[in-house]
Amino acid sequence: PGQMGGDAILHTLLNYRGAAPAGRLTTTAYQHAFTERPMSDMSLNNITYKHYTGEVCYPFGYGLSYSQFDVQWANSTSASQTVGTEEMLASHSEYFVARARGDHTWKSPASYSATIKNIGKIASDYVLLGFVSSPARIATDPDEPLRELFDFARVHLAPSASTTVHLSLPASVLSHVDAHGDERIMPGNYKIELGAEWLGDSTALESTLIVTGAPQTLFS
């Protein structure tokens, strides 16, 4: 802390005063062939972690640590969850009101609790990422995102220490926008991922979110 340049690099490499790295990539590191894409192409076709299907150097959200972390569900019910479209619609305005007043304790009707434990030998931060996707839509709609980040949690843990974090899925991330610009919460089965091996995580969790009820419009 407070160091710059060479000192900062040295402190990070040696974990001096707890300077162990624990970041996540905020962009995708593409291979050289990606530079052949025209800069004037503003479409989302095969670009960003939501749509890119090619090989990458490092994916969005990738990160390593000097320590190791184990992630487990905090309760047995998180392996599958059912929520109604009307519940998600009702939570839409609550989410923005809570964020506007700085209240980060807000929980979505589709929330997930996981226990993170430092099973390594040094103290370090750890960032757990939560993704949502719709396998059925991916199979039929080429414009459907492969996955989308819906929440994350960053914690600092000493060796053998553990803590429980809560990730919430906002209605605005679960929703779909059609060709006419109408945004709706659609029923169906969704895949939830907390962490992933391709992100550098040693353990990861998966769950099925079952959304029931009639489609609900968020924006038209």
PDB file of all heavy atoms in Angstrom, residues 53-71:
ATOM      1  N   THR A  53     -16.969 -16.857 -29.005  1.00  0.00           N
ATOM      2  CA  THR A  53     -16.873 -18.320 -28.953  1.00  0.00           C
ATOM      3  C   THR A  53     -15.495 -18.835 -29.348  1.00  0.00           C
ATOM      4  O   THR A  53     -15.260 -20.046 -29.340  1.00  0.00           O
ATOM      5  CB  THR A  53     -17.923 -18.962 -29.884  1.00  0.00           C
ATOM      6  OG1 THR A  53     -17.731 -18.475 -31.221  1.00  0.00           O
ATOM      7  CG2 THR A  53     -19.339 -18.616 -29.424  1.00  0.00           C
ATOM      8  N   GLY A  54     -14.578 -17.946 -29.719  1.00  0.00           N
ATOM      9  CA  GLY A  54     -13.247 -18.373 -30.131  1.00  0.00           C
ATOM     10  C   GLY A  54     -12.315 -18.591 -28.952  1.00  0.00           C
ATOM     11  O   GLY A  54     -12.684 -18.410 -27.788  1.00  0.00           O
ATOM     12  N   GLU A  55     -11.093 -18.997 -29.274  1.00  0.00           N
ATOM     13  CA  GLU A  55     -10.072 -19.191 -28.248  1.00  0.00           C
ATOM     14  C   GLU A  55      -9.561 -17.827 -27.767  1.00  0.00           C
ATOM     15  O   GLU A  55      -9.440 -16.883 -28.548  1.00  0.00           O
ATOM     16  CB  GLU A  55      -8.914 -20.000 -28.807  1.00  0.00           C
ATOM     17  CG  GLU A  55      -9.274 -21.440 -29.171  1.00  0.00           C
ATOM     18  CD  GLU A  55      -9.571 -22.294 -27.942  1.00  0.00           C
ATOM     19  OE1 GLU A  55      -8.970 -22.016 -26.884  1.00  0.00           O
ATOM     20  OE2 GLU A  55     -10.390 -23.214 -28.044  1.00  0.00           O
ATOM     21  N   VAL A  56      -9.283 -17.727 -26.486  1.00  0.00           N
ATOM     22  CA  VAL A  56      -8.769 -16.474 -25.923  1.00  0.00           C
ATOM     23  C   VAL A  56      -7.465 -16.740 -25.181  1.00  0.00           C
ATOM     24  O   VAL A  56      -7.158 -17.883 -24.819  1.00  0.00           O
ATOM     25  CB  VAL A  56      -9.786 -15.833 -24.958  1.00  0.00           C
ATOM     26  CG1 VAL A  56     -11.082 -15.521 -25.684  1.00  0.00           C
ATOM     27  CG2 VAL A  56     -10.038 -16.739 -23.748  1.00  0.00           C
ATOM     28  N   CYS A  57      -6.706 -15.683 -24.967  1.00  0.00           N
ATOM     29  CA  CYS A  57      -5.509 -15.802 -24.130  1.00  0.00           C
ATOM     30  C   CYS A  57      -5.929 -15.935 -22.670  1.00  0.00           C
ATOM     31  O   CYS A  57      -5.477 -16.840 -21.954  1.00  0.00           O
ATOM     32  CB  CYS A  57      -4.614 -14.573 -24.324  1.00  0.00           C
ATOM     33  SG  CYS A  57      -3.926 -14.406 -25.973  1.00  0.00           S
ATOM     34  N   TYR A  58      -6.797 -15.021 -22.241  1.00  0.00           N
ATOM     35  CA  TYR A  58      -7.367 -15.076 -20.895  1.00  0.00           C
ATOM     36  C   TYR A  58      -8.801 -14.579 -20.965  1.00  0.00           C
ATOM     37  O   TYR A  58      -9.080 -13.546 -21.586  1.00  0.00           O
ATOM     38  CB  TYR A  58      -6.572 -14.206 -19.916  1.00  0.00           C
ATOM     39  CG  TYR A  58      -5.154 -14.665 -19.720  1.00  0.00           C
ATOM     40  CD1 TYR A  58      -4.099 -14.047 -20.395  1.00  0.00           C
ATOM     41  CD2 TYR A  58      -4.854 -15.723 -18.865  1.00  0.00           C
ATOM     42  CE1 TYR A  58      -2.789 -14.476 -20.232  1.00  0.00           C
ATOM     43  CE2 TYR A  58      -3.546 -16.150 -18.690  1.00  0.00           C
ATOM     44  CZ  TYR A  58      -2.521 -15.524 -19.375  1.00  0.00           C
ATOM     45  OH  TYR A  58      -1.241 -15.947 -19.217  1.00  0.00           O
ATOM     46  N   PRO A  59      -9.747 -15.268 -20.334  1.00  0.00           N
ATOM     47  CA  PRO A  59     -11.150 -14.851 -20.402  1.00  0.00           C
ATOM     48  C   PRO A  59     -11.483 -13.726 -19.425  1.00  0.00           C
ATOM     49  O   PRO A  59     -10.753 -13.509 -18.447  1.00  0.00           O
ATOM     50  CB  PRO A  59     -11.901 -16.130 -20.029  1.00  0.00           C
ATOM     51  CG  PRO A  59     -10.972 -16.829 -19.087  1.00  0.00           C
ATOM     52  CD  PRO A  59      -9.581 -16.542 -19.616  1.00  0.00           C
ATOM     53  N   PHE A  60     -12.559 -13.035 -19.692  1.00  0.00           N
ATOM     54  CA  PHE A  60     -13.101 -12.041 -18.767  1.00  0.00           C
ATOM     55  C   PHE A  60     -13.302 -12.700 -17.402  1.00  0.00           C
ATOM     56  O   PHE A  60     -13.815 -13.805 -17.293  1.00  0.00           O
ATOM     57  CB  PHE A  60     -14.448 -11.532 -19.299  1.00  0.00           C
ATOM     58  CG  PHE A  60     -15.271 -10.789 -18.290  1.00  0.00           C
ATOM     59  CD1 PHE A  60     -15.082  -9.426 -18.102  1.00  0.00           C
ATOM     60  CD2 PHE A  60     -16.231 -11.440 -17.527  1.00  0.00           C
ATOM     61  CE1 PHE A  60     -15.837  -8.726 -17.169  1.00  0.00           C
ATOM     62  CE2 PHE A  60     -16.989 -10.751 -16.597  1.00  0.00           C
ATOM     63  CZ  PHE A  60     -16.792  -9.392 -16.419  1.00  0.00           C
ATOM     64  N   GLY A  61     -12.874 -12.019 -16.347  1.00  0.00           N
ATOM     65  CA  GLY A  61     -13.061 -12.546 -14.998  1.00  0.00           C
ATOM     66  C   GLY A  61     -11.965 -13.473 -14.519  1.00  0.00           C
ATOM     67  O   GLY A  61     -12.024 -13.972 -13.391  1.00  0.00           O
ATOM     68  N   TYR A  62     -10.928 -13.706 -15.341  1.00  0.00           N
ATOM     69  CA  TYR A  62      -9.864 -14.628 -14.945  1.00  0.00           C
ATOM     70  C   TYR A  62      -9.004 -14.017 -13.846  1.00  0.00           C
ATOM     71  O   TYR A  62      -8.740 -12.812 -13.830  1.00  0.00           O
ATOM     72  CB  TYR A  62      -8.985 -14.949 -16.157  1.00  0.00           C
ATOM     73  CG  TYR A  62      -7.928 -15.991 -15.900  1.00  0.00           C
ATOM     74  CD1 TYR A  62      -8.255 -17.345 -15.881  1.00  0.00           C
ATOM     75  CD2 TYR A  62      -6.602 -15.630 -15.675  1.00  0.00           C
ATOM     76  CE1 TYR A  62      -7.280 -18.313 -15.650  1.00  0.00           C
ATOM     77  CE2 TYR A  62      -5.627 -16.587 -15.446  1.00  0.00           C
ATOM     78  CZ  TYR A  62      -5.972 -17.929 -15.429  1.00  0.00           C
ATOM     79  OH  TYR A  62      -5.011 -18.871 -15.191  1.00  0.00           O
ATOM     80  N   GLY A  63      -8.565 -14.857 -12.929  1.00  0.00           N
ATOM     81  CA  GLY A  63      -7.703 -14.371 -11.860  1.00  0.00           C
ATOM     82  C   GLY A  63      -7.105 -15.517 -11.065  1.00  0.00           C
ATOM     83  O   GLY A  63      -7.768 -16.527 -10.839  1.00  0.00           O
ATOM     84  N   LEU A  64      -5.856 -15.357 -10.659  1.00  0.00           N
ATOM     85  CA  LEU A  64      -5.178 -16.365  -9.850  1.00  0.00           C
ATOM     86  C   LEU A  64      -4.814 -15.782  -8.488  1.00  0.00           C
ATOM     87  O   LEU A  64      -4.906 -14.581  -8.272  1.00  0.00           O
ATOM     88  CB  LEU A  64      -3.909 -16.842 -10.563  1.00  0.00           C
ATOM     89  CG  LEU A  64      -4.111 -17.559 -11.896  1.00  0.00           C
ATOM     90  CD1 LEU A  64      -2.759 -17.916 -12.512  1.00  0.00           C
ATOM     91  CD2 LEU A  64      -4.942 -18.818 -11.717  1.00  0.00           C
ATOM     92  N   SER A  65      -4.408 -16.648  -7.586  1.00  0.00           N
ATOM     93  CA  SER A  65      -4.081 -16.217  -6.234  1.00  0.00           C
ATOM     94  C   SER A  65      -2.881 -16.987  -5.717  1.00  0.00           C
ATOM     95  O   SER A  65      -2.595 -18.099  -6.187  1.00  0.00           O
ATOM     96  CB  SER A  65      -5.281 -16.435  -5.304  1.00  0.00           C
ATOM     97  OG  SER A  65      -4.938 -16.191  -3.951  1.00  0.00           O
ATOM     98  N   TYR A  66      -2.190 -16.425  -4.752  1.00  0.00           N
ATOM     99  CA  TYR A  66      -1.112 -17.137  -4.082  1.00  0.00           C
ATOM    100  C   TYR A  66      -1.668 -18.172  -3.101  1.00  0.00           C
ATOM    101  O   TYR A  66      -0.938 -19.028  -2.618  1.00  0.00           O
ATOM    102  CB  TYR A  66      -0.224 -16.166  -3.317  1.00  0.00           C
ATOM    103  CG  TYR A  66       0.611 -15.249  -4.177  1.00  0.00           C
ATOM    104  CD1 TYR A  66       1.187 -14.108  -3.646  1.00  0.00           C
ATOM    105  CD2 TYR A  66       0.830 -15.537  -5.518  1.00  0.00           C
ATOM    106  CE1 TYR A  66       1.966 -13.264  -4.419  1.00  0.00           C
ATOM    107  CE2 TYR A  66       1.604 -14.707  -6.304  1.00  0.00           C
ATOM    108  CZ  TYR A  66       2.166 -13.563  -5.750  1.00  0.00           C
ATOM    109  OH  TYR A  66       2.930 -12.742  -6.528  1.00  0.00           O
ATOM    110  N   SER A  67      -2.957 -18.062  -2.796  1.00  0.00           N
ATOM    111  CA  SER A  67      -3.592 -18.997  -1.888  1.00  0.00           C
ATOM    112  C   SER A  67      -4.615 -19.829  -2.654  1.00  0.00           C
ATOM    113  O   SER A  67      -4.749 -19.703  -3.875  1.00  0.00           O
ATOM    114  CB  SER A  67      -4.271 -18.244  -0.734  1.00  0.00           C
ATOM    115  OG  SER A  67      -4.639 -19.138   0.296  1.00  0.00           O
ATOM    116  N   GLN A  68      -5.352 -20.680  -1.951  1.00  0.00           N
ATOM    117  CA  GLN A  68      -6.399 -21.497  -2.551  1.00  0.00           C
ATOM    118  C   GLN A  68      -7.684 -21.329  -1.752  1.00  0.00           C
ATOM    119  O   GLN A  68      -7.646 -21.185  -0.520  1.00  0.00           O
ATOM    120  CB  GLN A  68      -6.004 -22.978  -2.581  1.00  0.00           C
ATOM    121  CG  GLN A  68      -4.903 -23.304  -3.575  1.00  0.00           C
ATOM    122  CD  GLN A  68      -4.618 -24.795  -3.604  1.00  0.00           C
ATOM    123  OE1 GLN A  68      -4.327 -25.415  -2.564  1.00  0.00           O
ATOM    124  NE2 GLN A  68      -4.711 -25.388  -4.775  1.00  0.00           N
ATOM    125  N   PHE A  69      -8.800 -21.367  -2.465  1.00  0.00           N
ATOM    126  CA  PHE A  69     -10.087 -21.133  -1.815  1.00  0.00           C
ATOM    127  C   PHE A  69     -11.090 -22.211  -2.216  1.00  0.00           C
ATOM    128  O   PHE A  69     -11.122 -22.657  -3.359  1.00  0.00           O
ATOM    129  CB  PHE A  69     -10.630 -19.758  -2.184  1.00  0.00           C
ATOM    130  CG  PHE A  69      -9.760 -18.628  -1.720  1.00  0.00           C
ATOM    131  CD1 PHE A  69      -8.690 -18.186  -2.492  1.00  0.00           C
ATOM    132  CD2 PHE A  69      -9.987 -18.022  -0.489  1.00  0.00           C
ATOM    133  CE1 PHE A  69      -7.868 -17.159  -2.067  1.00  0.00           C
ATOM    134  CE2 PHE A  69      -9.167 -16.989  -0.047  1.00  0.00           C
ATOM    135  CZ  PHE A  69      -8.108 -16.568  -0.840  1.00  0.00           C
ATOM    136  N   ASP A  70     -11.893 -22.607  -1.245  1.00  0.00           N
ATOM    137  CA  ASP A  70     -12.952 -23.586  -1.473  1.00  0.00           C
ATOM    138  C   ASP A  70     -14.298 -22.875  -1.349  1.00  0.00           C
ATOM    139  O   ASP A  70     -14.521 -22.112  -0.405  1.00  0.00           O
ATOM    140  CB  ASP A  70     -12.863 -24.715  -0.448  1.00  0.00           C
ATOM    141  CG  ASP A  70     -13.958 -25.734  -0.633  1.00  0.00           C
ATOM    142  OD1 ASP A  70     -13.902 -26.499  -1.610  1.00  0.00           O
ATOM    143  OD2 ASP A  70     -14.901 -25.753   0.199  1.00  0.00           O
ATOM    144  N   VAL A  71     -15.182 -23.118  -2.310  1.00  0.00           N
ATOM    145  CA  VAL A  71     -16.499 -22.482  -2.318  1.00  0.00           C
ATOM    146  C   VAL A  71     -17.576 -23.563  -2.261  1.00  0.00           C
ATOM    147  O   VAL A  71     -17.577 -24.491  -3.070  1.00  0.00           O
ATOM    148  CB  VAL A  71     -16.698 -21.618  -3.583  1.00  0.00           C
ATOM    149  CG1 VAL A  71     -18.060 -20.927  -3.547  1.00  0.00           C
ATOM    150  CG2 VAL A  71     -15.583 -20.586  -3.704  1.00  0.00           C
TER     151      VAL A  71
END
